[in-house]
Amino acid sequence: MVNILSSAVHCAKTLGEKVLEDGTKIPYFSLENEIRQNQEEIYNAIKDVVSKVLPKQTKQTALIIGTSLIDWHLLDAIEANEANKPYTSNKRSIDSYAKDLADEFGLSGFTMTINTACTSSANALLEAKNLIKAGIVENVIVVGLEIFSPVMSSGFASMDLLSKTKPKPFKKDRDGLVLGEGVGAILLGSQESPWELLGGFSNCNSETITSVSSSGDECVEVMNNALENCSLHVEDITVIKAHATGSQANDEAEMNAIKKVFKKEPTIMSLKQHIGHTIGASGVLEIALLMKDEFKNGIFMCNYFGFGGNNISLILRKNS
Amino acid sequence: MKSVVLNIVSSAKIYAAQKIENLDEKRLVPNMMTRRRLTRNSRIMLYLSDKCAFSGGKIVYGSCFGELEETAKIANSVLEGDMISPTSFQNSVYNTAPSYFSLINKDTDEIITISSGMKTSLDTLKTAALQALASGEKVLCIAIECININKIQEINRCTKFLEAGVAVVVEIAQDENEVKEIESLHVDGIIGSLQDLMSVANMHENGINKIKVEL
């Protein structure tokens, strides 16, 4: 049995605005105390959430980070070249955070940084379950991290995927996704807890490199296999925490998939209207927020669908 | 810590100082439109997986620098205030190469993408071992770096080979007979993020078919 023992989150509370390099204004969920693209600030933000979920048995605890962030060494190097300046940098690389934190907190040597776009930290949670189930470690801390990136925001803008107003998941007048930043940590282990991570299923299946088909068949596969892996039936699911980005195509595909899997739809909820689409961090952040809600006992399916056809459904049970 | 004993089913490696020629793209990707969209990492992935006779199943893919060429194009556009190419953005995520593999081979199985600096290929191997252990299936473990971008010579201090990749197909071994610890059989001049998996591929070339991986 792998349980969710505790969580800590640091995410935006209100919708604000960002200005891109070309002057375009986009709605954006920024952290109150913005973490700039400053390596020490980012490291300290992760350290803060990790310290809040740290178990007693640190030597038997692994650390996995899920993020879609790229390496800022590259941006510095390119900027230096453009200005014909020599490039030097003592900055941390994204992947080094996990190892440095493991050293600082005296964790086990097992660290990993998973980058599978929007499903990064959701995949990290499934890998964490595998680690505990295989008896490799007793606990795993899974971190989800996403900080404002002009590269990513401009990229989504280039694909005309960003909303000009606010996130409206599953609404008829939805006009795109609103990005957000945040950092969160979840501690998994076999100790007692009302929340259990029953399991899930991850696949790589899409119509194009960025999207699933409007039929949602790729999402049907992942939801059905998640249920099968957890020995559950559709009627066992109490609530679906949908991926629900607010984009026309993705919401349509997900809703079509839900209709195909569930003859009688359970309660469907979305969280991106509160914190934005936090991309690689959304797996951890949205489950941490779900756990803070006053839900009665039940079984929850959490969907995440990402670029490259990376799709995952996780299933959680609350039994207080 | 737990150790896992893996059979090495197949292996392949490739590298070049500047650009790897003849990746057999026309045979591997007959559709011209799809072929034209492929990134360098994707082309090398398709080549190496074919050499390993792997056409579907679980994949653990590692890259320290990811899709550097596409990311550099986007970064330059941002810095110069130009329009970003949607194709570059689509192709810039770390999991682009295994995603193209999945699309082309109609493989819908799980993929995990790892980026762990100079330990990338070791962490990729560990994750593949974990995947093999959890699923009981064969897993393609592959790591690729393509850093052949404009002006790279001004910042490259870490490799003689701007394009390189290595792949092994592994499965859980049924016994520990003739198992070997991973030896350091590095290829001189290869980027550090690939060296651990290069060692495993070299061991396989030397006739070793069973290794122990410490998780």
Side-chain angles (χ1 to χ4, degrees), chain A residues 14-30 148-158 160-167 175 177-181 277:
Chain A
T14 53
L15 179 60
E17 192 176 78
K18 286 278 186 192
V19 182
L20 302 182
E21 294 281 326
D22 66 357
T24 309
K25 289 180 181 174
I26 58 165
Y28 191 88
F29 283 91
S30 299
F148 174 72
S149 155
V151 170
M152 184 181 297
S153 295
S154 302
F156 276 112
S158 77
D160 207 18
L161 283 174
L162 296 182
S163 166
K164 291 178 177 60
T165 54
K166 59 182 182 180
D175 64 344
L177 51 94
V178 174
L179 299 173
E181 59 186 355
H277 188 356

Side-chain angles (χ1 to χ4, degrees), chain A residues 36-267:
Chain A
R36 306 285 173 188
Q37 287 184 26
N38 171 311
Q39 307 290 291
E40 285 310 309
E41 282 189 36
I42 294 170
Y43 182 79
N44 288 332
I46 306 173
K47 187 177 156 184
D48 180 55
V49 290
V50 169
S51 69
K52 287 175 179 160
V53 301
L54 204 63
K56 286 179 185 167
Q57 299 292 333
T58 54
K59 281 283 175 208
Q60 273 298 310
T61 302
L63 177 67
I64 307 180
I65 294 178
T67 183
S68 75
L69 291 177
I70 61 158
D71 197 328
W72 285 299
H73 287 281
L74 168 69
L75 294 180
D76 283 359
I78 290 167
E79 203 162 23
N81 267 346
E82 290 297 312
N84 287 319
K85 291 177 189 165
Y87 165 65
T88 57
S89 176
N90 293 318
K91 287 183 176 178
R92 292 174 200 273
S93 179
I94 296 294
D95 49 79
S96 68
Y97 294 134
K99 286 182 171 45
D100 289 351
L101 285 162
D103 288 344
E104 187 162 349
F105 286 114
L107 305 181
S108 84
F110 196 104
T111 63
M112 204 191 284
T113 303
I114 293 180
N115 308 68
T116 50
C118 307
T119 57
S120 300
S121 60
N123 272 317
L125 285 163
L126 203 54
E127 286 308 305
K129 183 179 167 71
N130 286 338
L131 272 174
I132 296 167
K133 207 173 152 191
I136 291 157
V137 287
E138 286 179 12
N139 295 102
V140 182
I141 297 170
V142 179
V143 171
L145 170 71
E146 209 64 55
I147 305 298
F148 174 72
S149 155
V151 170
M152 184 181 297
S153 295
S154 302
F156 276 112
S158 77
M159 293 180 71
D160 207 18
L161 283 174
L162 296 182
S163 166
K164 291 178 177 60
T165 54
K166 59 182 182 180
K168 289 170 273 190
F170 292 144
K171 296 273 172 64
K172 278 186 181 165
D173 64 342
R174 64 187 184 273
D175 64 344
L177 51 94
V178 174
L179 299 173
E181 59 186 355
V183 56
I186 282 177
L187 174 67
L188 297 172
S190 54
Q191 297 91 331
E192 268 190 35
S193 165
W195 286 93
E196 182 184 356
L197 175 58
L198 293 173
F201 186 80
S202 171
N203 75 359
C204 186
N205 190 5
S206 63
E207 191 173 64
T208 70
I209 196 71
T210 54
S211 59
V212 296
S213 62
S214 60
S215 70
D217 286 345
E218 300 87 348
C219 311
V220 169
E221 184 199 349
V222 85
M223 286 192 273
N224 276 334
N225 281 302
L227 287 165
E228 192 182 328
N229 278 357
C230 298
S231 304
L232 292 171
H233 302 288
V234 287
E235 54 271 24
D236 296 323
I237 299 296
T238 323
V239 174
I240 299 174
K241 192 293 297 166
H243 188 52
T245 61
S247 84
Q248 282 291 341
N250 285 354
D251 281 11
E252 183 187 358
E254 187 173 12
M255 193 45 81
N256 285 338
I258 289 170
K259 282 177 181 164
K260 285 179 184 175
V261 174
F262 296 89
K263 287 188 179 68
K264 186 185 169 199
E265 285 170 23
T267 302

Side-chain angles (χ1 to χ4, degrees), chain B residues 179-200:
Chain B
V179 67
K180 300 284 184 191
E181 302 280 345
I182 297 175
E183 297 173 50
S184 180
L185 294 178
H186 292 181
V187 177
D188 184 43
I190 288 282
I191 198 163
S193 59
L194 302 183
Q195 288 287 18
D196 291 299
L197 206 54
M198 280 285 175
S199 291
V200 174

